Amino acid sequence: MAAKKDYYEVLGVDRGASGDEIKKAYRKVALKYHPDRNQGDKRAEERFKEASEAYRVLSDAERRAQYDRFGHAAFEQAGGFDFNAAGFEDIFGDIFGDFFGGGRGRSRASRGDDLRYDLEVDFDEAIFGVEKTIRIPRTAGCEACDGQGTRGGAARETCLACAGAGQMRYQQGLFSVARTCSECQGAGTVVRDPCPECGGAGAVRKQQSLSVKIPAGVDNESRLKLRGEGESGRRGGPPGDLYVVIHVREHPIFRRQGADVLCDIPIGMVQAALGTEIEIPTPHGLIKMKIPAGTQSGKVFRLKGKGSPDLRGYGNGDMLARVAVEIPQKLTRKQKELLQEFAEISGEDVHPQSKGFFDKVKEMFN
């Protein structure tokens, strides 16, 4: 598969180009390579699609920022953007209006709306991936009329008021003013004998079950895009997309830091002082870890590859085990005596760390 060209190069603009400059450059390229002007020319068709894809990213401030930072990889992850034919048409129509004839009135087929579904998953499910079945309310094309809105799916009748144009034109002095046809509401066609199942709408509301594969490594607020699973299109248009927004439930001991997983590991002060070997939890199971003698509270040990998978395919993150040294709160008389003896033997006021700290304090206030 050939590598994608730089979007700025495709449109012939520099990386600091303004929004107006990008729009102007896209219009020039798209006019040159539009399929209506280059029928049968596959190369021109590809150039047109490249330009439309580039414009869709660079004309949106958020997408442009992602592209400037990560390049094409920003849109190759789960939930990336889909530059389909309908998308090209939408962008092109926004800029050129009726340039290539017919107009973009309501009489044309139109794409269905996108939907959003918020899905909660457990911490482990987010790390290792899972398949979930969700139920979403959405409009679907009426099967009884094949989405036409007419009884038995018969062809819709041309609106007599506007002769199928969807607009009524009125002369006001030297100017001709177009208004949406009130008879067909701009559709250009009317339903004389509506479908009894959908009442002429061409679509019905349903609760539909859908299986969703959650990839390993998703994090909180990750978005998954399911193409064609949104609202049904109107008048034969393509369906919209479904965006599944992931919400990861909190774990009792683990926390995410990107692909790394952080866990606080409590140990006793004697273990910290003398060193030991303990068994700690990781998302991948229990593992033995050595605690060197003299380990201080807050020390972080990094266990390579024991974190979460990276969504971009860069392997696993690490497990960050942060030691928390526990100080006993209730001591027996014997324990207190031993600690006092230990302090006298070691000289509490000459410990390297505490000595350095209090020396700095004296310098500040003297």
Side-chain angles (χ1 to χ4, degrees):
M1 183 177 179
K4 285 189 175 184
K5 294 182 180 178
D6 180 81
Y7 286 150
Y8 292 96
E9 180 182 343
V10 168
L11 297 183
V13 297
D14 60 42
R15 302 188 77 85
S18 67
D20 287 340
E21 290 172 334
I22 289 173
K23 186 173 182 178
K24 183 178 179 180
Y26 169 63
R27 189 179 192 279
K28 180 179 178 181
V29 176
L31 277 172
K32 181 178 180 180
Y33 294 108
H34 192 274
D36 287 355
R37 291 185 166 184
N38 302 272
Q39 294 185 9
D41 187 340
K42 295 293 184 183
R43 177 56 184 160
E45 182 179 346
E46 287 302 315
R47 291 292 300 273
F48 175 72
K49 288 183 178 180
E50 285 178 353
S52 297
E53 179 176 331
Y55 178 75
R56 184 167 186 173
V57 171
L58 300 184
S59 63
D60 182 282
E62 183 178 351
R63 293 177 186 172
R64 184 177 180 181
Q66 288 179 306
Y67 177 75
D68 288 344
R69 186 175 180 185
F70 301 109
H72 293 295
F75 311 112
E76 294 171 355
Q77 305 178 29
F81 299 110
D82 175 26
F83 303 104
N84 50 38
F88 298 147
E89 183 180 14
D90 289 344
I91 298 169
F92 195 74
D94 287 343
I95 292 182
F96 297 99
D98 299 341
F99 186 85
F100 282 98
R104 287 175 50 87
R106 298 180 192 175
S107 60
R108 294 187 59 180
S110 58
R111 182 177 178 274
D113 294 331
D114 293 335
L115 294 176
R116 167 176 172 147
Y117 185 93
D118 293 276
L119 177 63
E120 283 194 348
V121 297
D122 291 333
F123 188 89
D124 291 342
E125 291 175 332
I127 287 186
F128 297 107
V130 68
E131 188 166 345
K132 294 279 190 179
T133 299
I134 63 176
R135 287 182 59 82
I136 56 173
R138 62 180 177 181
T139 57
C142 177
E143 296 178 0
C145 64
D146 198 25
Q148 291 297 316
T150 57
R151 186 183 296 273
R156 297 165 64 98
E157 298 181 24
T158 300
C159 176
L160 298 178
C162 64
Q167 295 179 332
M168 302 288 286
R169 291 192 173 274
Y170 303 90
Q171 195 71 29
Q172 293 185 352
L174 298 175
F175 300 98
S176 178
V177 180
R179 295 178 181 173
T180 300
C181 176
S182 58
E183 182 71 20
C184 64
Q185 302 302 313
T189 58
V190 292
V191 176
R192 303 296 183 191
D193 187 12
C195 169
E197 295 294 327
C198 64
V204 291
R205 196 76 173 171
K206 292 182 178 179
Q207 281 277 350
Q208 295 184 320
S209 296
L210 187 65
S211 180
V212 181
K213 290 185 178 180
I214 310 299
V218 296
D219 206 347
N220 204 41
E221 297 298 326
S222 291
R223 295 202 316 166
L224 307 180
K225 180 178 182 178
L226 279 67
R227 298 172 184 170
E229 297 295 348
E231 298 281 21
S232 63
R234 292 170 284 278
R235 299 181 183 86
D241 301 322
L242 171 65
Y243 290 88
V244 179
V245 182
I246 304 299
H247 300 278
V248 183
R249 299 186 184 96
E250 289 188 5
H251 193 277
I253 62 172
F254 295 136
R255 296 191 301 282
R256 286 279 294 274
Q257 291 184 349
D260 294 336
V261 175
L262 174 65
C263 182
D264 290 318
I265 309 296
I267 63 173
M269 64 178 187
V270 176
Q271 291 176 306
L274 301 180
T276 186
E277 184 177 74
I278 60 175
E279 200 170 45
I280 67 168
T282 75
H284 303 271
L286 296 174
I287 188 172
K288 289 185 177 180
M289 184 178 75
K290 289 185 178 180
I291 304 293
T295 294
Q296 301 299 309
S297 190
K299 169 71 176 178
V300 176
F301 294 89
R302 183 180 292 271
L303 306 178
K304 291 289 186 181
K306 297 300 180 181
S308 169
D310 187 284
L311 270 178
R312 294 166 293 183
Y314 297 147
N316 279 14
D318 302 329
M319 171 75 183
L320 306 178
R322 183 168 61 190
V323 170
V325 179
E326 292 187 326
I327 306 299
Q329 296 180 337
K330 295 182 180 180
L331 299 173
T332 65
R333 179 180 298 177
K334 181 64 175 177
Q335 289 172 327
K336 291 179 180 179
E337 291 175 355
L338 291 173
L339 285 175
Q340 289 172 351
E341 184 181 349
F342 171 78
E344 292 172 0
I345 294 174
S346 59
E348 191 71 40
D349 59 342
V350 293
H351 281 251
Q353 289 188 357
S354 61
K355 183 177 185 300
F357 173 79
F358 287 111
D359 285 346
K360 292 176 182 178
V361 172
K362 290 179 181 178
E363 290 177 4
M364 290 175 59
F365 293 97
N366 285 338

